[in-house]
Amino acid sequence: GQTLVVPLSAIVETLQPKDSDVHNLGDNARVIAIRGAFLPLLDVGAVLGYRADEGDPLNSVAVMVETENQSQCALLVDGIIGQQQVVIKSLETNYGHVFGVAAATILGDGRVAVILDVDAIVAGSRAELARADAHRKRSAA
């Protein structure tokens, strides 16, 4: 039920995941195959604590994002509402630092929406994938 804002400058493309494109890596990590590359697939709702279980990729939308240093990741969301211009309000100044959140905005209907910190989320996913890969290699040995 939470509306999240992804900065348009970070979005590369959106796509509907297919079963053959989504792969598990260890117990807690998934990747998605996009044009011959494997990108971390993160359920934004689970990463930010909005839900306990990760969503089904086949009933979701993958938003491929790129950070300022060209790292890429696919963010799994329930759906896309559309494109809007928003006024950014600092969350850290008024509340404190929250992982994965860069700022907040007030939507036209009065609801508050958080603006994602794509760089922090992608950096966190890279660290999580490295841990999952190391665990997988230890288990195989």
Side-chain angles (χ1 to χ4, degrees), residues 1-6 44-45 48 50 77-84 86 101 103-116:
Q2 178 67 43
T3 300
L4 305 171
V5 177
V6 180
V44 176
L48 297 180
Y50 291 120
V77 298
D78 294 335
I80 297 174
I81 296 172
Q83 183 177 332
Q84 298 180 18
V86 296
V101 176
T105 189
I106 299 174
L107 301 173
D109 62 6
R111 291 181 300 133
V112 174
V114 297
I115 300 171
L116 298 182

Side-chain angles (χ1 to χ4, degrees), residues 7-14 35 63-67 72-73:
L8 190 59
S9 61
I11 298 175
V12 176
E13 69 177 287
T14 60
R35 281 188 232 67
V63 179
M64 186 175 155
V65 294
E66 187 172 80
T67 66
Q72 293 184 333
C73 183

Side-chain angles (χ1 to χ4, degrees), residues 47-111:
V47 169
L48 297 180
Y50 291 120
R51 60 175 158 229
D53 297 325
E54 291 193 0
D56 178 7
L58 305 181
N59 294 321
S60 303
V61 176
V63 179
M64 186 175 155
V65 294
E66 187 172 80
T67 66
E68 289 181 4
N69 66 4
Q70 281 68 49
S71 293
Q72 293 184 333
C73 183
L75 304 178
L76 199 62
V77 298
D78 294 335
I80 297 174
I81 296 172
Q83 183 177 332
Q84 298 180 18
Q85 289 188 2
V86 296
V87 176
I88 299 171
K89 299 288 183 183
S90 171
L91 197 63
E92 202 162 330
T93 302
N94 299 310
Y95 180 73
H97 178 74
V98 178
F99 170 77
V101 176
T105 189
I106 299 174
L107 301 173
D109 62 6
R111 291 181 300 133

